[in-house]
Amino acid sequence: MTGMTMAETAKTAKLTFDDKEIELPILSPSAGPDVLDIRKLYAQGDVFTYDPGFTSTAACDSTITFIDGDLGELLHRGYPIDQLAEKSHFLEVAYLLLYGELPSAVQLEDFEHRVTQHTMLHEQMVYFYRGFRRDAHPMAIMTGVVGAMSAFYHDSTDITDPWQREVATIRLIAKMPTIAAWAYKFSIGQPFVYPRNDLDYASNFLRMCFSVPAEEYEVNPILSRAMDRIFTLHADHEQNASTSTVRLASSSGANPFACIAAGIACLWGPAHGGANQACLEMLREIGTVDRIPEYIARAKDKDDPFRLMGFGHRVYKNFDPRAKVMKQSADEVLELLGVENNPTLQVAKELERIAIEDPYFKEKKLYPNVDFYSGIILDAMGFPTSMFTPIFALARTVGWISQWKEMIADPQMKIGRPRQLYVGATMRDYVDVEDR
Ligand code: CMC
């Protein structure tokens, strides 16, 4: 266990089967439901538990993020996400996630300075980018480039050295905007734009994406604030699929760059981070509000694999608090850009209205998630849909590294090794090919 927050209570649960009776300790978290400690179950009962998709299984303990899915509550180190989105900013939230407390003014300045000093990529990496096809998806490029960081920054791959862990942390957070922006620039055949350390994190990213050498680029402070808010809303989300991937990969002792590359690969899927791209594509495909009922009917049809993208969540069964802030941000940005009558936004609003009143979605507790409105903002800012998931990956890197650091520092860290319910053939003798 990493912290002071989890205590074993005197409570136990009894499990009885065959002629065995096993007493299982019940752990009380600082928030959320009690947790049955089954670590000794196999040793004592010669039995495994079965939980594909980890719907009832805690794979670790953590002090970083807490979600109450019934209340629609998301806390980072105890602070509600809506307060952080309104009053804080991405690098301050990054500090909070990484080190556990909000920084003092001096600590924040020092942290921002350290991140800013690492924004450039090793120049040799330019050749690495050039090896990709022009039409490569930016997520494919990011997975490759972040994995390749272990070949460029050997001096921060020893996970047993706290100093190297810190350097890897700062490098990843600092370089991710450059990596993502360059993936975009490469795909549109424009020259790479080098980072500018006098700009804040979000403005620097926007400039690297949208500026060209032929013209100076003025970062609009409202767009940079909206970008920063998107980063903040995606910073961490406890033990989701990609974070669990990072933890599992790093449990073998793999270096941080390899582990974050594994997280990026996992995030890409449409059930996870890829949903923001899939959602905007769906909204465009629907096109006009009169076609919404057809898509709602398809989403409800058991024989149709179609799902309403940007709807539903494994943990949130009320609403996704990030979606609320995102919706408000979408309104602001679209108004600023003078595109509040954007047909995609109209379809999104009407789809949300119809779906949340529909008995199918009500009964299954399916509400808009963070990906429902983020794509509309990113689209209005000028990003192509293929960049939506890379932006999610950029922001989530902070959460992945915070969770990775927490895990590596935990003296109880063990290699992750799930068991299985084997349902295949039992032992049988090999048959020569001519006899089959
Ligand atoms: N549209 C229509 N039906 C849905 C949807 C949806 N978006 N989501 C879930 N359902 C139905 C599903 O068919 C199932 O019905 P039944 O019980 O009759 O079989 C029921 O709701 C429960 O679904 P599930 O797949 O068992 O739930 P899950 O917790 O395994 O999946 C989810 C959660 C997010 C993968 C799923 O809701 C989904 O595929 N949503 C669309 C993709 C999406 O927006 N993903 C982004 C998630 S938030 C950001 C992130 O994690 O990256």
Side-chain angles (χ1 to χ4, degrees), residues 53-341:
F54 299 99
T55 54
S56 304
T57 299
C60 63
D61 56 283
S62 180
T63 61
I64 301 173
T65 292
F66 174 73
I67 301 173
D68 187 321
D70 295 323
L71 294 180
E73 195 173 77
L74 166 61
L75 311 177
H76 291 321
R77 306 281 190 187
Y79 297 102
I81 190 64
D82 48 332
Q83 288 184 26
L84 293 173
E86 192 196 325
K87 299 181 180 168
S88 184
H89 59 92
F90 181 65
L91 281 187
E92 186 176 67
V93 172
Y95 185 101
L96 174 70
L97 291 167
L98 287 165
Y99 307 112
E101 295 297 336
L102 286 169
S104 67
V106 173
Q107 287 168 326
L108 182 61
E109 198 188 328
D110 172 64
F111 178 66
E112 291 187 334
H113 178 74
R114 282 191 292 141
V115 169
T116 305
Q117 292 312 302
H118 285 273
T119 50
M120 279 172 56
L121 299 185
H122 192 294
E123 191 59 20
Q124 196 77 11
M125 288 183 105
V126 169
Y127 301 105
F128 195 73
Y129 272 88
R130 294 204 169 124
F132 288 101
R133 281 172 58 135
R134 282 280 171 201
D135 59 356
H137 194 288
M139 281 299 274
I141 299 183
M142 282 186 80
T143 315
V145 171
V146 173
M149 282 176 80
S150 41
F152 286 89
Y153 302 103
H154 316 125
D155 58 343
S156 51
T157 52
D158 178 359
I159 62 158
T160 63
D161 177 351
W163 185 82
Q164 292 200 29
R165 297 207 294 264
E166 187 60 21
V167 175
T169 298
I170 298 293
R171 277 184 169 148
L172 276 158
I173 296 169
K175 294 182 197 306
M176 210 50 99
T178 317
I179 292 172
W182 283 19
Y184 173 50
K185 284 296 192 192
F186 184 75
S187 73
I188 55 171
Q190 288 186 2
F192 298 131
V193 175
Y194 287 82
R196 273 245 320 255
N197 292 349
D198 58 325
L199 294 176
D200 64 75
Y201 195 83
S203 303
N204 178 45
F205 175 64
L206 288 173
R207 186 181 165 276
M208 284 192 290
C209 289
F210 296 123
S211 111
V212 287
E215 279 171 27
E216 204 26 73
Y217 175 77
E218 284 281 320
V219 184
N220 181 323
I222 298 178
L223 293 189
S224 122
R225 176 77 191 118
M227 188 76 257
D228 188 86
R229 193 173 280 169
I230 289 178
F231 292 159
T232 302
L233 291 172
H234 286 90
D236 190 50
H237 213 230
E238 54 117 307
Q239 310 311 321
N240 55 82
S242 57
T243 303
S244 299
T245 300
V246 170
R247 279 188 177 257
L248 196 58
S250 56
S251 76
S252 72
N255 75 68
F257 306 114
C259 297
I260 302 300
I264 295 173
C266 177
L267 186 78
W268 196 358
H272 193 8
N276 51 15
Q277 170 169 356
C279 181
L280 196 85
E281 285 166 359
M282 175 194 78
L283 294 172
R284 281 188 184 147
E285 190 184 305
I286 298 175
T288 48
V289 291
D290 57 300
R291 297 189 62 204
I292 293 173
E294 179 196 327
Y295 283 81
I296 298 263
R298 283 187 62 196
K300 295 185 334 192
D301 181 355
K302 282 273 151 254
D303 299 323
D304 189 331
F306 174 77
R307 283 184 169 203
L308 273 194
M309 300 314 285
F311 264 79
H313 198 274
R314 170 62 62 79
V315 184
Y316 294 120
K317 298 300 172 198
N318 184 327
F319 63 92
D320 180 339
R322 301 167 300 172
K324 263 192 170 176
V325 184
M326 207 63 96
K327 183 179 184 180
Q328 192 192 331
S329 213
D331 284 335
E332 284 167 18
V333 170
L334 269 60
E335 195 190 325
L336 169 86
L337 297 173
V339 285
E340 61 271 46
N341 293 325

